[in-house]
């Protein structure tokens, strides 16, 4: 495992961090605790020493799970990060209430890296008015948190003012080879680093969309490389190639993901990709831009939907259609998934969106979700939907018993 230093405290952090947002789950949606615990502990045994979670992950169960997974001495081996759910904070007292609850949920007396979660300009202004900076000073002074930071999902122009507003230790931004000009982007990465902040990266694989399956047009470009790498390796190596990056979080959901990421991390040196290889990545980014229709990472901040629509699942099948083809198969899968035939728990179809707008306030990517759901409905629904539902029930009868 390779390590990089946090600029302000000289912590030696593994370049690969374990993100506890996409843990393996059982059929009922609950965390597969046995598998997830093995994954977390194997990662730590292999050198990972940064573990990231948050209040809402896995519907509030990620933090308590990690408390159990980090028992038996594992808590002492890692720097633990979690986040204040600022959108739930209504009074200054709420900040202490949430932090104290998180300390209890995580069964620890301190948070090594504590972030204000998912800031944009408006939520930063609200948090500031409520005294968030005084809260951070107090929590650092009394030892409940060691390092203070924030995660960011706002517009590019609003990032630097937040960096300049406080003596932050670190920040967390979305960054991958498709998002160089999205949210903080490359300019934000370089600005934060120039101010002495450590930078933790989220969504290096864009919610898995840069991993398998990969469109044939993209694979054709990757195959031109002199040194053959998997799409995951290209994506992670590209992020680690930036010396400003301290830690890259990976939301691993299978043991195979852990093994692959550990192997790739062994070669994640800064400035290690050649100009020719960087040019190849740029061409891949251009191709994805042509193919991808909806800028969704599958973070599920928009969920639960009041109308019962599984928004990320709708967007995933829509993007897959435009990147990989297979319309008839995907329409069948849409009917089976949204109709609850595969999962045993029904979620409504895209056309059943009630236009309430709740999801618009929650989406870090600022997707026009209502408009996009209409496009999904146009593509996957229609007069033959009921026929496909009926056929899917027969086709997947054994799976739905």
């Amino acid at each position: 495992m390779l390590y990089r230093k946090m600029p302000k405290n000289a912590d030696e952090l593994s370049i690969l961090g374990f993100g506890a947002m996409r843990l393996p789950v059982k059929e009922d949606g609950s965390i597969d605790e046995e598998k997830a615990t093995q994954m977390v502990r194997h990662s730590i045994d292999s050198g990972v020493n940064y573990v990231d979670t948050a209040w809402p992950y896995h519907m509030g169960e990620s933090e308590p799970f990690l408390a159990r997974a980090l028992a038996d001495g594992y808590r002492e081996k890692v720097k633990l990060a979690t986040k204040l759910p600022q959108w739930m904070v209504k009074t200054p007292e709420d900040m202490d209430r949430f932090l104290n609850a998180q300390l209890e949920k995580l069964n620890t007396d301190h948070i090594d890296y504590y972030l204000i979660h998912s800031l944009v300009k408006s939520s930063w202004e609200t948090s500031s008015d409520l005294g968030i900076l005084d809260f951070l000073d107090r929590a650092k002074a009394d030892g409940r948190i060691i390092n203070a930071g924030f995660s960011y999902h706002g517009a590019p122009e609003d990032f630097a003012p937040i960096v300049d507003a406080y003596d932050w230790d670190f920040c967390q931004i979305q960054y991958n080879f498709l998002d160089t000009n999205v949210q903080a982007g490359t300019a934000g990465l370089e600005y934060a680093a120039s101010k002495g902040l450590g930078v933790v990266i989220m969504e290096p694989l864009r919610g898995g969309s840069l991993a398998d399956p990969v469109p044939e047009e993209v694979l054709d470009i990757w195959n031109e490389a002199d040194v053959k790498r998997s799409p995951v390796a290209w994506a992670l190596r590209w992020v680690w190639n930036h010396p400003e990056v301290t830690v890259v979080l990976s939301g691993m959901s299978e043991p195979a993901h852990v093994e692959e990421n550990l192997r790739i991390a062994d070669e994640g040196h800064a400035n290690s990709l050649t100009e020719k290889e960087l040019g190849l990545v740029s061409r891949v980014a251009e191709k994805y831009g042509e193919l991808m229709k909806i800028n969704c990472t599958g973070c599920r901040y928009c969920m639960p939907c009041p109308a019962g629509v599984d928004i990320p699942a709708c967007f995933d099948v829509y993007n897959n259609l435009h990147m990989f083809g297979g319309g008839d198969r995907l329409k069948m899968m849409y009917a089976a998934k949204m109709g609850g035939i595969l999962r045993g728990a029904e979620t409504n179809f895209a056309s059943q969106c009630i236009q309430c707008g709740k999801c618009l306030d929650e989406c870090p990517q600022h997707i026009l979700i209502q408009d996009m759901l209409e496009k999904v409905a146009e593509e996957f629904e229609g007069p033959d939907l009921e026929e496909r539902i009926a056929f899917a029930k027969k086709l997947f009868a054994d799976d739905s018993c």
Side-chain angles (χ1 to χ4, degrees):
M1 178 59 63
L2 301 177
Y3 297 85
R4 298 186 187 181
K5 285 186 179 181
M6 270 285 174
K8 291 189 176 181
N9 61 23
D11 278 350
E12 294 272 357
L13 300 181
S14 56
I15 64 169
L16 176 65
F18 195 108
M21 179 182 175
R22 294 184 174 94
L23 298 167
V25 296
K26 300 178 180 178
E27 289 187 2
D28 63 0
S30 64
I31 296 170
D32 186 332
E33 190 142 339
E34 181 179 357
K35 180 187 289 188
T37 299
Q38 291 173 352
M39 290 167 56
V40 170
R41 293 187 174 186
H42 177 60
S43 297
I44 296 169
D45 290 338
S46 302
V48 171
N49 68 357
Y50 189 92
V51 178
D52 171 272
T53 184
W55 182 278
Y57 292 175
H58 285 277
M59 305 301 289
E61 291 304 312
S62 178
E63 289 174 322
F65 158 75
L66 277 181
R68 298 185 291 273
L70 295 177
D72 304 323
Y74 280 89
R75 171 67 182 93
E76 291 71 30
K77 297 179 180 181
V78 300
K79 301 298 184 182
L80 182 59
T82 195
K83 310 174 186 74
L84 175 72
Q86 48 77 20
W87 60 90
M88 299 173 71
V89 172
K90 307 303 178 186
T91 69
E93 293 75 21
D94 285 343
M95 301 175 198
D96 288 291
R97 180 170 62 84
F98 277 111
L99 172 55
N100 292 336
Q102 289 173 297
L103 291 169
E104 183 175 350
K105 290 168 70 176
L106 286 160
N107 192 27
T108 187
D109 62 359
H110 70 279
I111 306 298
D112 299 290
Y113 287 84
Y114 196 63
L115 304 94
I116 309 174
H117 197 176
S118 194
L119 285 181
V120 298
K121 181 181 180 181
S122 59
S123 60
W124 168 243
E125 292 172 347
T126 299
S127 297
S128 297
D129 291 343
L130 287 171
I132 189 75
L133 299 184
D134 289 338
F135 159 73
L136 292 175
D137 285 341
R138 288 197 317 273
K140 290 184 75 172
D142 63 31
R144 286 178 294 166
I145 68 175
I146 308 302
N147 300 284
F150 65 95
S151 65
Y152 187 74
H153 284 293
E157 65 270 18
D158 298 325
F159 180 71
I162 298 177
V163 170
D164 294 339
Y166 184 66
D167 186 20
W168 304 103
D169 298 292
F170 73 114
C171 64
Q172 183 170 311
I173 63 172
Q174 176 172 316
Y175 196 57
N176 54 69
F177 64 71
L178 291 187
D179 291 329
T180 55
N181 296 304
V182 174
Q183 299 183 25
T186 302
L189 168 67
E190 294 174 349
Y191 186 77
S194 75
K195 295 294 183 175
L197 277 67
V199 183
V200 177
I201 301 300
M202 56 184 159
E203 303 291 1
L205 301 178
R206 224 168 190 259
S209 61
L210 301 182
D212 293 329
V214 176
E216 286 296 328
E217 299 95 321
V218 171
L219 278 177
D220 289 342
I221 300 174
W222 287 141
N223 288 335
E224 294 179 24
D226 296 329
V227 178
K228 305 305 180 186
R229 299 185 178 101
S230 70
V232 172
W234 280 112
L236 292 177
R237 287 287 303 275
W238 183 89
V239 179
W240 280 318
N241 197 64
H242 294 76
E244 301 88 352
V245 169
T246 311
V247 176
V248 174
L249 296 175
S250 181
M252 298 170 276
S253 55
E254 292 291 340
H257 298 164
V258 175
E259 297 296 345
E260 181 178 20
N261 287 355
L262 288 171
R263 287 194 301 272
I264 299 167
D266 285 340
E267 299 179 343
H269 295 279
N271 298 317
S272 59
L273 296 181
T274 67
E275 287 299 317
K276 182 178 180 180
E277 289 173 329
L278 292 173
L280 203 71
V281 176
S282 295
R283 288 175 54 205
V284 167
E286 292 174 2
K287 180 56 64 176
Y288 268 116
E290 296 171 8
L291 297 172
M292 193 173 292
K293 300 300 181 182
I294 304 177
N295 185 36
C296 177
T297 69
C299 70
R300 302 189 72 82
Y301 284 10
C302 58
M303 299 296 290
C305 165
V309 178
D310 190 333
I311 298 167
C314 287
F315 289 170
D316 182 59
V317 73
Y318 187 81
N319 275 334
N320 283 341
L321 176 67
H322 289 276
M323 287 192 292
F324 310 114
D328 290 341
R329 177 185 61 83
L330 286 171
K331 287 182 178 181
M332 184 61 64
M333 293 301 296
Y334 177 83
K337 287 183 177 180
M338 302 308 139
I341 299 162
L342 282 180
R343 301 178 188 174
E346 185 171 354
T347 62
N348 285 339
F349 295 94
S351 60
Q352 292 171 279
C353 166
I354 59 175
Q355 303 284 314
C356 68
K358 179 178 180 293
C359 55
L360 299 179
D361 296 328
E362 304 296 337
C363 179
Q365 314 304 325
H366 311 294
I367 298 169
L368 299 177
I369 293 176
Q370 297 162 326
D371 295 344
M372 293 299 101
L373 286 175
E374 289 182 0
K375 292 182 180 296
V376 174
E378 290 173 6
E379 196 79 64
F380 288 95
E381 299 181 32
D384 60 343
L385 178 60
E386 290 299 325
E387 181 180 339
R388 279 187 274 115
I389 293 173
F391 184 76
K393 286 180 178 179
K394 295 179 180 179
L395 184 63
F396 299 110
D398 292 338
D399 294 330
S400 60
C401 292

